[in-house]
């Protein structure tokens, strides 16, 4: 038998966490949810021949990949393999009855051999990583070898992902939704959700606006923040109250507030990265006001976000914003003054907090569009959560992930003017899921890490203030 999990965990160069969702048969979703495997056993994992992949109470002995390849190549009789191994090979590689079928299976196995080599090449030496293969639904399954043969892998912030997924926010959003669906329905999943965002910003603004403040910084920095959510937290959607339950509103309101709070922390940080970004006060003022505004706590059974069609929504939103905005302006004013931008610093004097809020309320087009999109994002997530709750199996909901992620991406692209914030889709899913889990189970399952490093200094840029009209 292979070394136990504890022994593998001691040698960071020998193991990975294997993750693969695939619909190999109609109505059946196979899922490897982060099983710990030795890198030398990667081919066996791709063939679903590891004992830990077998959904049976009978303990299976590990078969060697050499024995499997020898039987497929004809060096040994195919009957030399145990019956459960031949059955597993048939699912992945195709029928093994005739000689021609075994030759085709051997070619398919060669694709997987090359695939394992490409994956291992993408794993950094000594790194503890999850390896994610592309999601294959029933329609894609017949073309699995062409797909896998053309898939390249990259190391992406602690995970090895298909390059196409890692490089495309829309595909990463869809994959995150698929993974959430699988985790919500299966308590054995060991790999949860992850989100990483990297921003190059002036050290002064990073210290003020970053969701994880790095402390005093000077000069430009690269700030990389990673959120990791345990797979067990995703089960919260499975246990969430139904709409007809009296507990539905308070539980789901916590998820809504978490999404609203996350957007207030992350959107200004993404859009205001350098001091010169503050020169356009027509853009900066609404973002700063939004950052310190009050998330909507919920009202009645179905109102989870601000209704921008009512008359007093801006009053409720900014009711307690004046003091925190004043404190925020104080820090920005000091940073601009220290950088020598005295004219622009005057536009961020702490005494202007009241006027800025009044101006945002009066010229409400920007903040209204932002809050309306925020509400649509929350409703989209809660609707998807109800679908997770109602699903009898994860396959049904993973098939809906494409439509959900498309709708979520559309709303994120409309969140603030022309900024494409599709990449925040995993963020809002993680925050909503963690809040739901914390409300139901009593503790946070989220781990947040930040890596801040100095980068090469930029040449100082000349810019002039483009002040918003006075309230």
């Amino acid at each position: 038998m292979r070394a136990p999990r504890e022994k593998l965990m001691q040698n960071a160069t020998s193991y990975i966490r294997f993750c693969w969702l695939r619909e190999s048969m109609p109505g059946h979703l196979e899922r490897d949810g982060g099983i710990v495997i030795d890198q030398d056993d990667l081919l066996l994992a791709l063939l679903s021949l590891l004992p830990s992949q077998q959904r049976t109470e009978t303990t299976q002995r590990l078969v060697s990949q050499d024995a499997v390849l020898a039987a497929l190549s004809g060096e040994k009789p195919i009957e030399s393999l145990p019956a459960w191994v031949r059955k597993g090979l048939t699912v992945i590689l195709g029928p093994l009855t005739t000689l021609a079928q075994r030759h085709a299976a051997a070619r398919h196995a060669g694709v997987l051999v090359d695939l394992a080599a490409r994956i291992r090449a993408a794993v950094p030496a000594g790194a503890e990583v999850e390896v994610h293969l592309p999601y294959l639904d029933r329609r894609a399954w017949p073309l699995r070898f062409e797909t896998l043969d053309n898939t390249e892998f990259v190391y992406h912030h602690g995970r090895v992902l298909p390059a196409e997924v890692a490089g495309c926010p829309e595909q990463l959003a869809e994959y995150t939704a698929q993974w959430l669906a699988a985790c919500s329905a299966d308590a054995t999943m060991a790999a949860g959700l992850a989100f990483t965002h990297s921003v190059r910003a002036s050290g002064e603004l990073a210290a003020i606006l970053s969701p994880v403040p790095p402390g005093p910084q000077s000069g430009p920095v690269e700030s990389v923040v990673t959120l990791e959510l345990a797979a067990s937290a995703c089960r919260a959607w499975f246990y969430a109250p139904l709409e007809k339950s009296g507990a539905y509103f308070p539980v789901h309101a916590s998820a809504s507030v978490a999404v609203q709070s996350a957007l207030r922390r992350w959107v200004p940080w993404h859009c205001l990265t350098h001091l010169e970004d503050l020169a356009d006060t027509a853009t900066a003022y609404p973002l700063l006001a939004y950052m310190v505004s009050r998330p909507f706590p919920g009202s009645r059974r179905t109102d989870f976000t601000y209704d921008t069609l009512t008359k007093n929504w801006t009053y409720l939103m900014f009711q307690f914003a004046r003091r925190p905005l004043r404190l925020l302006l104080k820090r920005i004013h000091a940073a601009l003054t220290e950088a020598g931008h005295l004219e622009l610093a005057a536009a961020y004097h702490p005494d202007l907090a009241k006027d800025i809020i009044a101006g945002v309320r009066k010229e409400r087009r920007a903040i209204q569009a932002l809050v309306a999109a925020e509400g649509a994002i929350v409703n989209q997530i809660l609707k998807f959560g109800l679908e997770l709750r109602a699903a009898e199996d994860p396959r049904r909901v993973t098939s809906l992930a494409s439509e959900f992620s498309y709708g979520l991406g559309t709303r994120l692209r409309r969140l603030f003017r022309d900024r494409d914030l599709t990449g925040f889709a995993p963020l809002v899913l993680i925050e909503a899921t963690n809040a739901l889990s914390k409300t139901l189970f009593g503790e946070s399952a989220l781990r947040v890490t930040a890596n801040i490093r100095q980068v090469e200094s930029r040449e100082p840029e000349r810019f002039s203030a483009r002040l918003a009209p006075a309230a």
Side-chain angles (χ1 to χ4, degrees), residues 30-93:
E30 286 288 342
R31 46 204 182 272
D32 293 305
I35 61 173
V36 178
I37 67 171
D38 193 294
Q39 286 194 36
D40 291 340
D41 292 334
L42 181 54
L43 177 60
L44 293 177
L46 292 170
L47 292 168
S48 296
L49 296 183
L50 293 177
S52 56
Q53 295 173 297
Q54 308 308 310
R55 298 182 179 273
T56 174
E57 296 181 359
T58 303
T59 302
Q60 307 286 8
R61 297 185 62 184
L62 181 67
V63 63
S64 73
Q65 69 176 35
D66 290 339
V68 171
L69 294 176
L72 290 173
S73 66
E75 294 180 15
K76 292 184 178 180
I78 194 71
E79 292 75 19
S80 64
L81 298 175
W84 70 271
V85 173
R86 298 197 302 271
K87 181 178 179 181
L89 291 176
T90 299
V91 173
I92 298 295
L93 300 179

Side-chain angles (χ1 to χ4, degrees), residues 4 12-13 36 54 90-91 94 103 136 138 152 155 157 174 182 215 229 270 287 360 364 376 392-393 399:
T13 62
V36 178
Q54 308 308 310
T90 299
V91 173
H103 285 164
L136 298 175
R138 185 61 187 146
E152 297 297 331
Y155 179 74
H157 298 296
E174 181 177 351
L229 184 69
H270 178 83
L287 283 172
V360 171
R364 66 171 63 184
E392 296 180 357
D393 64 84
S399 65

Side-chain angles (χ1 to χ4, degrees), residues 114-309:
D114 293 340
L115 176 66
R118 294 200 305 277
I119 292 174
R120 282 193 291 265
V123 176
E128 175 184 343
V129 299
E130 295 174 3
V131 170
H132 291 257
L133 271 74
Y135 172 75
L136 298 175
D137 62 15
R138 185 61 187 146
R139 292 170 300 176
W141 185 251
L143 301 175
R144 59 193 178 277
F145 295 107
E146 292 86 343
T147 300
L148 295 175
D149 196 29
N150 292 320
T151 300
E152 297 297 331
F153 292 85
V154 295
Y155 179 74
H156 181 74
H157 298 296
R159 297 188 294 173
V160 171
L161 300 172
E164 192 173 6
V165 172
C168 177
E170 290 83 1
Q171 291 203 25
L172 188 57
E174 181 177 351
Y175 183 73
T176 301
Q178 292 163 342
W179 198 256
L180 172 61
C183 289
S184 71
D186 188 347
T188 67
M189 300 287 275
L193 308 184
F195 167 76
T196 299
H197 193 61
S198 176
V199 168
R200 288 201 173 194
S202 65
E204 297 86 353
L205 279 185
I208 297 170
L209 301 180
S210 173
V212 183
Q217 299 282 339
S218 61
V221 298
E222 182 179 43
S223 181
V224 181
V225 180
T226 299
L227 279 64
E228 296 175 285
L229 184 69
S232 58
C234 299
R235 292 284 285 168
W237 294 107
F238 182 81
Y239 292 107
L242 297 173
E243 280 186 285
K244 61 183 179 181
S245 168
Y248 171 77
F249 176 76
V251 170
H252 288 81
S254 68
S256 170
V257 170
V259 171
Q260 295 176 68
S261 299
L263 292 174
R264 281 160 173 74
R265 293 194 309 271
W266 288 78
V267 173
W269 182 51
H270 178 83
C271 297
L272 303 175
T273 57
H274 295 94
L275 293 177
E276 56 265 29
D277 294 330
L278 298 172
D280 184 2
T281 56
T283 294
Y285 282 175
L287 283 172
L288 297 178
Y290 176 68
M291 183 177 180
V292 299
S293 66
R294 176 192 183 203
F296 188 71
S299 176
R300 297 178 291 182
R301 287 183 55 83
T302 57
D303 295 343
F304 291 104
T305 59
Y306 288 105
D307 183 354
T308 58
L309 299 180

Side-chain angles (χ1 to χ4, degrees), residues 337-419:
T337 301
E338 186 175 349
H341 305 300
L342 302 182
E343 179 186 1
L344 185 57
Y348 290 89
H349 195 280
D351 291 344
L352 294 176
K354 180 179 179 180
D355 294 336
I356 289 175
I357 291 175
V360 171
R361 280 174 170 164
K362 181 179 179 181
E363 300 292 334
R364 66 171 63 184
R365 179 176 298 179
I367 197 70
Q368 186 171 20
L370 200 161
V371 174
E374 170 191 270
I377 289 169
V378 169
N379 291 333
Q380 185 89 354
I381 293 173
L382 296 185
K383 178 186 175 186
F384 186 59
L386 288 175
E387 292 173 338
L388 292 178
R389 177 68 174 84
E392 296 180 357
D393 64 84
R395 182 201 59 80
R396 177 179 174 274
V397 186
T398 53
S399 65
L400 300 175
S402 177
E403 180 181 352
F404 162 73
S405 60
Y406 176 80
L408 184 59
T410 299
R411 287 155 176 79
L412 284 167
R413 282 190 291 274
R414 296 173 180 172
L415 187 62
F416 189 72
R417 295 184 176 172
D418 59 345
R419 308 298 178 101

